Amino acid sequence: MQFKDLVSENKKDWLKVVKHPFVDEIYRGKLAEETFKFYLIQDHYYLNQSMRNMAILISKAENLKQKQQLIDILNIEANVEFAKYQELLEYYSLEVKSAEEMKMTYSNIAYSNYLLAVSSQAGFAEGMAALIPCYWIYLKMAEYHHHKLKENDNQIYQDWATVFKSSDYKELVENMVEILEKEIETKNFKKLNYHFKNSIKFEYQFFSDVYQRKIWEI
Ligand SMILES: Cc1ncc(CN)c(N)n1
């Protein structure tokens, strides 16, 4: 069993994420600005949690090479993607609030806590399988939609997309896949697939909630 088996098992689901209207509209430059701002605030929180999650995985990595690779990935994540979000938030004068102060979508709370729970309570391989869709799916989105950027006259959305079509980002994803690849075995495939699939579904729900600007309420 290999990473490509996780990809083929879940193709129908991950293609739905890639083709989500939020993604299509941002690459075409047509996404409503208020929706993008809503996404930025939600995603900034998510990324912060995701970096905490990575720190747990670094602590669980079994050998020095894995630790070094994950530290490099975290470094790129902080200096490329997270730094871009800080810039964009400043551009829109959007204030970063704590979880207690901000109004969160259901999927944001569920997804970020799911990742933290898997990393802390399950093994390293399961934590990696749950985390990979977060990075890998944004690369797939860039590969699928990048041609739309030629006619996108929204400089901010162009800027956002630059992160995910950069060679640094591609390398980051390839390194993560390389780490997981070494962990996949026939006997753990079902478990890894379960977490990979859940995260793909969370990615879909995350886009759906921000697209509708749907705060968690009863
Ligand atoms: C929810 C989510 N998932 C993935 C990514 C890309 N690292 C992101 N920015 N936000």
Side-chain angles (χ1 to χ4, degrees), residues 36 40 44 78-94 96 155-156 159-160 162-163:
F36 183 63
L40 272 184
H44 183 270
N79 289 307
V80 180
E81 189 180 8
F82 199 68
K84 173 58 70 189
Y85 275 64
Q86 303 270 41
E87 242 178 63
L88 291 170
L89 286 166
E90 271 169 39
Y91 173 84
Y92 286 119
S93 308
L94 292 171
V96 176
Q155 195 46 52
I156 297 296
D159 244 33
W160 172 87
T162 308
V163 171

Side-chain angles (χ1 to χ4, degrees), residues 39 43 46-47 77 81 85 111 133-135 137-138 160 164 169 203 206:
Y39 164 80
D43 211 32
Y46 168 84
L47 286 179
E77 172 76 353
E81 189 180 8
Y85 275 64
Y111 189 17
C134 152
Y135 295 89
I137 202 81
Y138 274 59
W160 172 87
F164 307 105
Y169 193 77
E203 287 290 341
F206 193 96

Side-chain angles (χ1 to χ4, degrees), residues 3 5-17 111 114-115 118 125-134 136-137 180 188-206:
F3 181 71
D5 299 307
L6 289 175
V7 172
S8 60
E9 283 273 331
N10 296 287
K11 188 164 183 188
K12 199 166 84 23
D13 287 348
W14 64 257
L15 271 175
K16 276 193 175 175
V17 182
Y111 189 17
Y114 172 75
L115 291 179
V118 177
E126 285 153 273
M128 285 299 295
L131 182 61
I132 275 210
C134 152
W136 177 81
I137 202 81
L180 179 61
N188 68 5
F189 186 79
K190 210 167 155 191
K191 263 191 191 162
L192 302 190
N193 190 48
Y194 170 72
H195 293 300
F196 188 86
K197 188 184 279 300
N198 280 344
S199 291
I200 295 281
K201 282 153 72 179
F202 274 128
E203 287 290 341
Y204 186 86
Q205 203 54 50
F206 193 96

